[in-house]
Amino acid sequence: MTMNEEYQPINCDDYDNLELACTRHWVLHLTLRTGETISGAACEIRSRKRVEYLVIKYGRVSQEIRLDYITNFTHPKLGTVVVSAE
């Protein structure tokens, strides 16, 4: 994956679930297209140059993850959400 790939917006329902997680600062378990897994508190969704990012925090570290790089995320209130393109 390169940052030069064209951004593919995710499904609106998936986006809404991520917004809910940010509002409630839920800890999500994310799986990325690379197979990497990340766990952290969802903080906000940012948009830059028509690309959307989920900001998560774990410990004192925060990280931005492109929404279209997330293949699924899990939280007890949501179950496992498989992210799909719009």
Side-chain angles (χ1 to χ4, degrees):
M1 288 184 303
T2 66
M3 294 306 263
N4 296 331
E5 289 181 46
E6 186 174 336
Y7 178 72
Q8 300 296 316
I10 65 170
N11 177 288
C12 290
D13 291 335
D14 300 337
Y15 186 93
D16 289 346
N17 283 324
L18 288 172
E19 280 189 318
L20 176 63
C22 290
T23 301
R24 299 191 177 168
H25 298 283
W26 283 344
V27 173
L28 299 177
H29 304 284
L30 308 168
T31 303
L32 306 182
R33 292 190 326 197
T34 61
E36 179 182 4
T37 59
I38 300 172
S39 295
C43 296
E44 67 178 304
I45 295 176
R46 293 182 183 160
S47 181
R48 278 194 322 275
K49 297 181 181 180
R50 298 186 178 163
V51 177
E52 297 169 307
Y53 300 87
L54 172 66
V55 179
I56 63 164
K57 286 188 179 180
Y58 41 94
R60 293 184 178 191
V61 176
S62 58
Q63 180 176 357
E64 290 184 347
I65 301 165
R66 273 179 55 153
L67 298 188
D68 62 340
Y69 286 1
I70 301 170
T71 58
N72 67 64
F73 57 92
T74 304
H75 184 272
K77 300 261 184 185
L78 298 171
T80 298
V81 177
V82 177
V83 178
S84 57
E86 191 169 74

